[in-house]
Each structure stands twice: as C-alpha cells, then as structure tokens.
C-alpha cells in the first residue's frame, strides 16, 4: 500500500513540474517596444520579465538581457526561428540584436526551454 501511495505522489509531482515549466499559461504582460527604444529583460526566478515582447515589423531592435539567476539553465537565450543565440553574463547586461523580421510570432527560451518567452512582430 505504501508503494502505491509513494508512486502516485511521485507521478503527480512529475505532472506538476511538466505543467509548471512547459505547459502552464504565462501571465506576463506584453511589452511593446518602439523601433528606437531599448528594452531591458530581466532573467530571474525561472522567468523572463517581460516574457512577451512586441516589435514593429520591418525594424531592427536591441534587447538588453540582465541575468540575475545563477542557474545554469539561464546562461543562454535562444531565438530558434531567427537563428539567434546569446550567452548571458551573470549580473551584467547582454545585448541581443534582433534584425528586421517579417510579422509573426517568434518564441525564445533557454537551452532547456524552461525559461520561455514570445517575440511578436506586427
């Protein structure tokens, strides 16, 4: 009986972790960035803040990532659809240049996809 209880609790914890990091809804507020504006993105406590960024189509932008989380997972930010990646220094600002892109939604994340965000070009 104890083995069944322990296994059930273990499975429930695994499901909760998967939901929290990969399937759960993100409640961040979208930040719209003008073409000339510089946006600072805080990397802390397992999230990007803001985690939803809007950019105007046809304009390049510079994003400034400030990594305060010492977790190894937070070391990189990857924009797979734009073929951009950057190593984020701990407690230092790292700039990431986003070229002019076509309208669409471009996800970004850490290398393990635990930190996630969305870049919307409109």
């Amino acid at each position: 009986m104890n083995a069944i209880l322990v296994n059930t609790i273990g499975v429930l914890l695994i499901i909760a972790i998967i939901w929290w990091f990969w399937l759960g809804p993100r409640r961040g507020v979208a930040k719209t960035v003008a073409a000339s504006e510089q946006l600072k993105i805080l990397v802390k406590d397992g999230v990007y803040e803001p985690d939803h960024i809007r950019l105007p189509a046809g304009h390049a932008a510079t994003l400034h990532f400030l990594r305060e989380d010492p977790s190894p997972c937070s070391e990189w930010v990857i924009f797979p659809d734009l073929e951009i990646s950057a190593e984020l220094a701990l407690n230092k600002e790292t700039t990431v240049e986003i070229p002019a892109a076509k309208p669409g939604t471009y996800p970004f994340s850490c290398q393990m996809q635990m930190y996630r965000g969305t870049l919307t070009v409109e």
Side-chain angles (χ1 to χ4, degrees), residues 21 43-48 67-77 87-91 110-115:
F21 285 110
V43 182
K44 184 178 180 180
D45 298 329
V47 296
Y48 295 116
R67 176 179 163 227
E68 293 183 354
D69 195 335
S71 165
C73 187
S74 66
E75 288 179 350
W76 287 87
V77 63
E87 187 172 4
L88 305 177
L90 184 60
N91 296 318
C110 67
Q111 68 271 22
M112 293 175 56
Q113 296 185 6
M114 294 176 76
Y115 295 71

Side-chain angles (χ1 to χ4, degrees), residues 10-55:
V11 168
L12 291 175
L13 286 173
I14 290 170
I15 291 170
I17 289 170
I18 290 171
W19 180 84
W20 178 261
F21 285 110
W22 291 289
L23 302 177
R26 299 293 179 181
R27 295 181 194 95
V29 175
K31 173 70 175 170
T32 303
V33 180
S36 61
E37 184 182 354
Q38 294 181 352
L39 175 65
K40 184 180 283 188
I41 301 167
L42 184 61
V43 182
K44 184 178 180 180
D45 298 329
V47 296
Y48 295 116
E49 191 178 311
D51 64 353
H52 189 165
I53 303 161
R54 290 191 179 126
L55 296 176

Side-chain angles (χ1 to χ4, degrees), residues 79-116:
F79 294 80
D81 296 340
L82 299 174
E83 298 181 359
I84 298 171
S85 64
E87 187 172 4
L88 305 177
L90 184 60
N91 296 318
K92 292 184 182 177
E93 198 171 276
T94 303
T95 59
V96 177
E97 298 293 329
I98 304 296
K102 295 179 183 179
T105 301
Y106 302 95
F108 62 95
S109 67
C110 67
Q111 68 271 22
M112 293 175 56
Q113 296 185 6
M114 294 176 76
Y115 295 71
R116 294 179 292 150

